[in-house]
Amino acid sequence: MNNDNQKSTLYKPGLLLFLMALTISACRQLEETVASRPNIIFIYADDLGYGDLGCYGQVHFSTPNIDQLASEGMLFTQHYAGSTVCAPSRCVLMTGKHTGNAFVRGNSGNPNGLGQLPLPPTEVTFPKLLQAAGYRTAACGKWGLGNADTEGNPLLHGFDHFFGYHDQVLAHNSYPEYLFRNNERIMLRNEVTYLSEEEWHRGLGSVSTEKVDYSNDLIWEEALGFIQESKEDPFFLYWATTIPHDNGEAPIGQRFEVPDGARYLEEDWTADEQQYAALVEHLDTQVGELLAALEELGIAENTMVIFTSDNGPILSDQLESNGPLRGGKRDLYEGGIRVPLLIRWPAQVEAGERSDHLSAGWDFFPTLCDAAGISDYPKTDGISFLPTLTGAGEQMQHEYLYWEFHWWKPARQAIRQANWKAVKDSLQSPIELYDLEQDPGETQDVSAEHPALVQELAQKMRSAGSFTLSSIENK
């Protein structure tokens, strides 16, 4: 009895030392995990086309800083937006659900108020998971998934901080009357005239007669401030610039609003084309400032910088914004949905890499969760392409990619399987079939030559699609 007690007493210090060492080791592993988690900066251009960057073949104007992301990271040749217009593409990005399953399928208005259809609280977003995992999170720019007084408020969907436009119609005007910081309206010095409800989006469209405060510069300054304040902790910045979206309410020749638009006045282009080129270059300058700031702060190595676009461009034959692709914004042809994707992450991604991995906007959810070390996340329509980025592990592939587009008549569908692309330009239209390997410009419909494949893709469209939001279409 005494011997047992003696043994117990003798062994306790050893056990205590073992537990202490185990605890210290676990704490160090946790610290190392936290330290190794990348900062994530997601730059979301607005209506930027596949051919609008120098690294994708643009020759009419230059984007050296954005091109630097390609030379120092990975360029994707076959990446697709979640949709062909703003709101559904942003919903797809946030929730990881393609438009056959996403709540927002078009640029529909909120049936109960102003702004767009609000993202409901039942939707799980990847920023919410990053936030729960200890990331500081901010959204700067255009939200488009619900106004401040709705359940779609970005502060309810994983963001600690918000600055910019909740309403994407108000975001057409780059010299607005106000912006929002969190739930507070910040008045600007611009003089703004609102169009009538009959003219544009329930009176939310606007033009400015006194242009003082340029929203995209204010948004970039807010984003930079967040980076500087967050440099000691893992952070996620969603920089959703409104460049190069036009202000469709403004007169022709004044629709692409940029404070330094004189550079291309000598070019034999329309005034809108001159301003468009200057506008893209304005964003390029800001990206250059971002890269310089990351170096100065000493956080460039483990910061993942992602650059992509929410959909294809408003077409300009002169500037070749869609490159070799057919169509543009509001189309489900390649020009409407295939977009640039550049990712620079020096700690993990080899410089100068190119990838033809087939990916889409719904893949960011699992990819960024995996990159942040978050393993417990819900199943989405996405597939993580982290193995493609890092070269570690086996890369899974999509069986197919699917889109359906509500709001812009007529409703449309498209599906891509391997090199085959099927498009229904309306629900009543026959399926068009294209071999993208041979015909990336979708000039030759070969559906008559492959009837069995057409039937197979038609069945997959029926399985993937669910046109259940007809009650809010076209509002």
Side-chain angles (χ1 to χ4, degrees):
M1 189 77 170
N2 288 341
N3 287 343
D4 288 344
N5 285 339
Q6 202 170 30
K7 285 181 181 178
S8 178
T9 302
L10 288 172
Y11 290 156
K12 278 182 181 177
L15 179 61
L16 182 60
L17 288 172
F18 172 74
L19 291 174
M20 288 176 62
L22 192 64
T23 301
I24 291 170
S25 175
C27 288
R28 283 177 179 165
Q29 287 179 359
L30 180 61
E31 288 173 1
E32 289 172 2
T33 299
V34 170
S36 66
R37 290 186 299 175
N39 304 310
I40 302 168
I41 299 175
F42 195 103
I43 308 171
Y44 213 24
D46 197 350
D47 291 4
L48 185 88
Y50 188 80
D52 270 332
L53 304 177
C55 53
Y56 282 88
Q58 178 57 244
V59 296
H60 302 290
F61 52 90
S62 61
T63 56
N65 298 300
I66 299 173
D67 296 345
Q68 184 180 338
L69 294 175
S71 64
E72 297 178 353
M74 183 174 288
L75 180 151
F76 288 75
T77 62
Q78 300 195 66
H79 176 74
Y80 290 86
S83 183
T84 188
V85 293
C86 300
S89 204
R90 290 156 204 269
C91 179
V92 166
L93 169 66
M94 289 292 144
T95 64
K97 298 177 182 179
H98 64 56
T99 42
N101 293 320
F103 183 76
V104 179
R105 318 283 179 94
N107 281 346
S108 302
N110 180 2
N112 300 315
L114 297 179
Q116 285 67 57
L117 186 68
L119 193 64
T122 51
E123 293 291 330
V124 178
T125 66
F126 77 83
K128 190 175 288 186
L129 299 180
L130 291 175
Q131 185 184 54
Y135 272 72
R136 297 189 68 186
T137 59
C140 296
K142 184 171 93 173
W143 176 240
L145 295 175
N147 282 9
D149 59 351
T150 73
E151 59 190 15
N153 186 323
L155 300 181
L156 302 178
H157 289 282
F159 291 101
D160 302 316
H161 182 75
F162 173 78
F163 181 77
Y165 303 89
H166 291 106
D167 189 309
Q168 67 188 38
V169 177
L170 294 176
H172 292 177
N173 188 346
S174 293
Y175 291 92
E177 182 183 9
Y178 59 86
L179 294 171
F180 270 91
R181 178 175 287 115
N182 297 325
N183 296 324
E184 179 185 0
R185 187 174 294 194
I186 306 300
M187 303 305 296
L188 306 180
R189 293 171 292 174
N190 306 315
E191 295 292 332
V192 177
T193 299
Y194 292 91
L195 279 67
S196 70
E197 183 170 340
E198 292 72 25
E199 289 181 283
W200 201 278
H201 289 283
R202 292 176 291 177
L204 295 178
S206 65
V207 295
S208 295
T209 54
E210 184 76 20
K211 299 182 178 183
V212 181
D213 295 318
Y214 186 58
S215 65
N216 284 301
D217 288 348
L218 299 177
I219 287 164
W220 162 232
E221 290 165 8
E222 191 88 3
L224 179 59
F226 173 78
I227 293 170
Q228 292 167 334
E229 293 169 5
S230 308
K231 64 180 180 179
E232 302 298 333
D233 303 299
F235 67 82
F236 169 62
L237 170 64
Y238 175 47
W239 176 16
T241 178
T242 69
I243 295 175
H245 199 296
D246 71 323
N247 186 357
E249 295 89 319
I252 293 175
Q254 302 176 31
R255 292 187 169 179
F256 295 96
E257 297 172 325
V258 57
D260 49 358
R263 177 171 176 181
Y264 291 103
L265 292 179
E266 300 304 315
E267 294 290 343
D268 184 23
W269 303 343
T270 67
D272 280 340
E273 288 168 338
Q274 293 167 356
Q275 292 166 5
Y276 184 91
L279 189 54
V280 176
E281 290 191 351
H282 193 86
L283 175 58
D284 183 75
T285 297
Q286 293 177 336
V287 171
E289 293 170 359
L290 166 68
L291 298 180
L294 295 178
E295 293 291 345
E296 184 178 340
L297 294 170
I299 59 174
E301 183 72 11
N302 199 34
T303 296
M304 180 192 294
V305 179
I306 302 165
F307 184 98
T308 190
S309 179
D310 62 346
N311 50 252
I314 295 175
L315 289 178
S316 164
D317 292 337
Q318 186 84 345
L319 298 182
E320 301 177 283
S321 289
N322 60 344
L325 307 179
R326 175 181 178 180
K329 182 177 181 177
R330 302 187 185 93
D331 293 320
L332 289 182
Y333 297 109
E334 292 290 282
I337 51 178
R338 196 191 294 200
V339 292
L341 173 60
L342 307 170
I343 300 181
R344 189 188 85 154
W345 183 12
Q348 295 288 341
V349 177
E350 292 289 333
E353 291 289 310
R354 292 175 68 92
S355 174
D356 60 2
H357 172 67
L358 196 59
S359 61
W362 48 97
D363 292 329
F364 289 116
F365 190 122
T367 301
L368 297 183
C369 284
D370 284 353
I374 300 169
S375 57
D376 186 17
Y377 55 85
K379 187 179 187 310
T380 68
D381 293 316
I383 292 176
S384 172
F385 56 85
L386 189 64
T388 293
L389 287 174
T390 64
E394 182 181 356
Q395 179 61 65
M396 296 178 61
Q397 304 292 330
H398 285 282
E399 179 187 355
Y400 59 82
L401 301 176
Y402 173 78
W403 298 264
E404 63 184 52
F405 178 41
H406 296 251
W407 175 75
W408 193 262
K409 292 181 179 178
R412 300 165 182 176
Q413 291 175 290
I415 193 167
R416 175 165 178 180
Q417 178 174 281
N419 290 321
W420 296 104
K421 171 84 173 294
V423 178
K424 282 177 68 70
D425 208 31
S426 75
L427 296 186
Q428 292 72 41
S429 300
I431 287 181
E432 303 166 25
L433 183 68
Y434 301 97
D435 180 353
L436 295 181
E437 184 174 26
Q438 303 299 323
D439 180 25
E442 295 170 295
T443 61
Q444 299 294 321
D445 177 4
V446 295
S447 57
E449 301 168 30
H450 303 276
L453 179 58
V454 168
Q455 289 304 311
E456 176 190 340
L457 295 179
Q459 178 55 46
K460 288 179 177 177
M461 280 185 176
R462 288 191 290 270
S463 299
S466 54
F467 283 80
T468 57
L469 297 185
S470 57
S471 61
I472 55 171
E473 270 189 51
N474 301 305
K475 290 190 177 180

